[in-house]
Amino acid sequence: NGEAIWANQAYLDLTGLNMDEVIGQKPGYLSKGPETDVQATKAMREAIRDRKSIKITILNYNKKKEKYWFELNITTVFDSQNNFINFVGVGRDVTLRIEKEIELKHLLEVTSQQNNKLYNFTHIVSHNIRSHTSNLSMVIDVIENTSDVTEKLSYFDLFKEGTEKLSETIEYLNEIITIQQKT
């Protein structure tokens, strides 16, 4: 009839219910809460309706409305003539595991975001420094290919300007790093 006929002490301890609150009730009648997955609840209901076994992990609530993650394995029981008799539900508290998985997922998202920022930053650094070094290389190339000493000295100001711009860029990039570290 879809009503509980027994529960072990571990289940009672986890839910905060007593045996009188469980027997005769539909399993899980007090365990749903605002964050309980509606689709998971629906999947369990359909499996029970269709007399099929199911294994599912769901966020439940105990009597004090505290959350816990419950891994539930509902198995159908048949008699020797293959007639359905009832269900046996075996579950365990997997809150610590799920919380660690959620924390790990969050850390992976943060790491991924940081990697993207680092990738973008290195792209910018590479572009900016390459631009300045190319300019400096061109000035050196012109100096090397000029035989007139006076003309060579005239390029000194361009070389000086290029090194100053390179220094400015490096200082700017260091400022960005400092700001990122603080945030």
Side-chain angles (χ1 to χ4, degrees):
N1 297 326
E3 297 173 356
I5 57 174
W6 183 79
N8 67 13
Q9 190 59 48
Y11 179 79
L12 299 177
D13 292 343
L14 179 63
T15 61
L17 300 171
N18 61 47
M19 194 65 82
D20 292 336
E21 292 171 306
V22 173
I23 303 300
Q25 298 296 329
K26 295 204 178 286
Y29 78 105
L30 283 177
S31 60
K32 293 181 192 90
E35 294 179 59
T36 300
D37 184 359
V38 176
Q39 295 302 319
T41 303
K42 181 181 175 187
M44 281 191 298
R45 194 177 317 115
E46 288 173 1
I48 291 169
R49 181 194 67 215
D50 298 339
R51 296 181 175 174
K52 293 182 179 177
S53 298
I54 187 171
K55 182 176 182 180
I56 198 158
T57 302
I58 189 166
L59 179 64
N60 279 343
Y61 291 78
N62 64 18
K63 191 174 180 177
K64 295 178 185 176
K65 301 300 180 199
E66 299 165 329
K67 296 184 231 180
Y68 66 94
W69 286 93
F70 199 56
E71 184 179 82
L72 181 60
N73 198 352
I74 301 172
T75 307
T76 52
V77 179
F78 297 93
D79 65 15
S80 58
Q81 283 78 41
N82 208 27
N83 296 314
F84 173 79
I85 299 174
N86 61 22
F87 291 98
V88 173
V90 177
R92 64 186 176 133
D93 182 4
V94 292
T95 302
L96 289 176
R97 185 191 85 206
I98 299 295
E99 286 175 349
K100 291 294 181 191
E101 289 174 2
I102 291 169
E103 181 181 349
L104 181 60
K105 182 179 178 185
H106 174 72
L107 288 173
L108 287 172
E109 288 172 2
V110 168
T111 302
S112 178
Q113 289 171 358
Q114 293 290 42
N115 281 345
N116 286 336
K117 285 180 183 178
L118 183 59
Y119 175 78
N120 291 334
F121 181 74
T122 55
H123 182 73
I124 291 167
V125 168
S126 170
H127 176 267
N128 289 352
I129 291 176
R130 193 177 319 116
S131 172
H132 294 301
T133 56
S134 292
N135 290 341
L136 291 171
S137 291
M138 286 190 299
V139 171
I140 288 173
D141 188 43
V142 169
I143 291 171
E144 285 179 335
N145 292 315
T146 302
S147 56
D148 182 11
V149 175
T150 308
E151 189 178 344
K152 284 184 186 209
L153 289 175
S154 70
Y155 292 113
F156 181 75
D157 287 336
L158 286 175
F159 189 79
K160 183 179 177 185
E161 182 183 337
T163 57
E164 287 172 354
K165 296 262 187 216
L166 178 59
S167 291
E168 284 177 21
T169 298
I170 291 171
E171 286 178 32
Y172 175 69
L173 294 171
N174 281 331
E175 286 179 31
I176 292 172
I177 291 170
T178 302
I179 291 168
Q180 286 296 321
Q181 285 176 337
K182 288 179 181 177
T183 58

